[in-house]
Amino acid sequence: MKRILITGAAGFLGSHLCDRFIKEGFKVIGMDNLITGDLKNIEHLFKTEHFEFYNHDVSKFVHVPGKLDYILHFASPASPIDYLKIPIQTLKVGSLGTHNLLGLAKEKNARILIASTSEVYGDPLVHPQTEDYYGNVNTIGPRGVYDEAKRFQESITMAYHTYHGVETRIVRIFNTYGPRMRLNDGRVVPAFIGQALRGEDLTIFGDGLQTRSFCYVDDQVEGIYRLLFSDYIYPVNIGNPDEITIKDFAEEIIKLTGTEQKVIYKDLPVNDPLQRQPDIFRAKTILGWEPQVNRSEGMKKTLEYFKNFSSEELQKSEHRDFLKK
Ligand code: UDP
């Protein structure tokens, strides 16, 4: 049986990856320190003997007994609210954590795929973003701790590949949504859905003309799965190129939830990228991958998930925009 270590296993993407690899017949070793992850996301896996869990911070030396065939490094805070609350941990998990996992991959002769992000492009000046674009990042802005950790992560990963011959893969993940997003993580999808379900107005930051391109989680997982088993060592964008302004997105959520909510405008957070859209030519040609789930279908499934929360849970997770002073 092939053995795979998945860091960030209790997080949004990590937990979906655990599900996928269990389904594919792998022995999955999940690791998470639960600062932004939630055991609820993987509770259902504890009953299978093919799943094991370590509560560990990968910024510290990582030891896993036995052989390892693959490592997926998905541990990291991934929302602007989290970077502001835990900036040092964000830097450490992307840098020291990645170093530890690359060392483990070398030791175990395992192939490692690391989760990078569209944030390496910063507030991009090239549109759509191709993998060849070097980006436009403010190193000392509120997002710098995440963006720079992820850029360092890519560099050290390539260095382990070229210097130590470790088998590495790099995925650049664009905005992804679906069940198991944290209701109060500040990201726009759970924020808007939470507000609509609580009967609050939807908060648009800035004029709402900034764009994002939202990828449903099942598509994202499929892209990552294909990349891991490909022989391509350079970064690959995985995301849905269907771009929408945040203002239009708010209207879509209002229609979808059938609520009477209005939108209200608040200040745009510092360094909030104005336009974001993946160029997925590489993923299409190299992995034969493209998204299959359109936004209306994906959002319906996501809404169903959030409707399961009790009104008490919904109230507790009231959306707070930490980003503005
Ligand atoms: N956003 C918004 N209202 C909210 C939360 C987010 O208008 O309540 C905006 C945010 O300013 C950004 C976009 O939605 O322009 C996506 O934000 P998110 O945090 O989901 O992702 P990221 O900015 O990292 O792409």
Side-chain angles (χ1 to χ4, degrees):
M1 194 172 213
K2 296 277 184 205
R3 286 162 56 88
I4 184 166
L5 169 68
I6 302 181
T7 76
F12 164 50
L13 284 179
S15 66
H16 283 282
L17 286 163
C18 289
D19 285 346
R20 175 67 186 261
F21 280 87
I22 289 281
K23 205 172 109 200
E24 300 286 347
F26 284 71
K27 163 87 189 190
V28 173
I29 298 144
M31 192 172 277
D32 205 299
N33 67 349
L34 305 175
I35 55 170
T36 56
D38 189 337
L39 278 182
K40 259 195 240 141
N41 292 335
I42 46 171
E43 230 158 35
H44 59 287
L45 293 177
F46 280 82
K47 61 180 185 294
T48 135
E49 55 175 329
H50 302 318
F51 182 72
E52 230 177 281
F53 180 74
Y54 289 91
N55 184 336
H56 180 70
D57 176 359
V58 298
S59 306
K60 307 207 171 84
F61 185 82
V62 182
H63 174 69
V64 174
K67 74 158 187 159
L68 272 184
D69 300 288
Y70 301 99
I71 298 173
L72 299 181
H73 182 26
F74 277 70
S76 177
S79 99
I81 280 186
D82 292 334
Y83 320 148
L84 278 197
K85 284 198 289 196
I86 41 174
I88 317 284
Q89 287 97 324
T90 304
L91 277 159
K92 282 168 74 175
V93 72
S95 55
L96 307 180
T98 303
H99 187 204
N100 289 335
L101 291 159
L102 286 164
L104 183 68
K106 177 167 157 265
E107 171 68 25
K108 302 274 184 186
N109 227 347
R111 177 179 297 183
I112 179 167
L113 180 148
I114 61 125
S116 187
T117 164
S118 55
E119 286 284 321
V120 299
Y121 303 122
D123 188 1
L125 304 175
V126 163
H127 201 71
Q129 292 81 56
T130 60
E131 289 89 348
D132 295 333
Y133 177 51
Y134 295 158
N136 175 38
V137 171
N138 177 4
T139 58
I140 57 166
R143 290 170 182 254
V145 294
Y146 183 63
D147 301 7
E148 289 303 333
K150 290 293 186 181
R151 288 166 67 95
F152 172 85
Q153 182 184 50
E154 290 195 7
S155 305
I156 192 170
T157 298
M158 284 313 288
Y160 264 71
H161 175 75
T162 47
Y163 186 73
H164 288 308
V166 172
E167 281 194 49
T168 56
R169 304 287 181 272
I170 299 173
V171 58
R172 289 190 182 147
I173 297 170
F174 282 67
N175 293 68
T176 298
Y177 70 96
R180 302 187 194 154
M181 290 188 96
R182 231 168 67 220
L183 197 48
N184 62 348
D185 81 353
R187 313 218 68 138
V188 70
V189 172
F192 282 177
I193 292 182
Q195 286 166 335
L197 293 178
R198 284 191 300 269
E200 295 165 5
D201 292 335
L202 274 55
T203 51
I204 292 181
F205 298 163
D207 57 12
L209 297 181
Q210 72 270 36
T211 69
R212 292 296 184 272
S213 310
F214 298 104
C215 181
Y216 188 63
V217 63
D218 290 357
D219 283 332
Q220 184 62 246
V221 165
E222 179 64 26
I224 292 163
Y225 190 83
R226 290 189 189 202
L227 177 60
L228 179 67
F229 297 111
S230 77
D231 53 14
Y232 193 73
I233 58 155
Y234 297 106
V236 178
N237 289 338
I238 298 287
N240 190 324
D242 184 7
E243 186 183 9
I244 184 172
T245 65
I246 293 301
K247 195 174 170 194
D248 289 345
F249 181 59
E251 293 303 332
E252 278 191 6
I253 296 286
I254 289 172
K255 270 209 197 97
L256 173 70
T257 50
T259 47
E260 308 266 292
Q261 265 50 63
K262 293 192 296 295
V263 298
I264 49 172
Y265 290 87
K266 299 204 165 187
D267 294 341
L268 190 68
V270 177
N271 297 143
D272 196 290
L274 283 181
Q275 262 191 312
R276 187 183 286 152
Q277 183 193 33
D279 181 313
I280 58 165
F281 180 76
R282 252 188 215 180
K284 270 188 183 160
T285 49
I286 294 168
L287 311 177
W289 175 89
E290 61 184 316
Q292 304 295 319
V293 182
N294 64 31
R295 202 170 45 248
S296 89
E297 194 187 330
M299 284 299 165
K300 264 190 216 136
K301 292 185 183 176
T302 308
L303 177 63
E304 285 314 306
Y305 170 77
F306 284 114
K307 274 187 177 165
N308 289 325
F309 284 79
S310 66
S311 56
E312 201 182 28
E313 283 169 311
L314 280 172
Q315 293 306 333
K316 248 196 335 214
S317 60
E318 194 176 353
H319 181 46
R320 313 223 300 279
D321 41 296
F322 284 80
L323 288 179
K324 290 183 307 340
K325 292 276 168 316

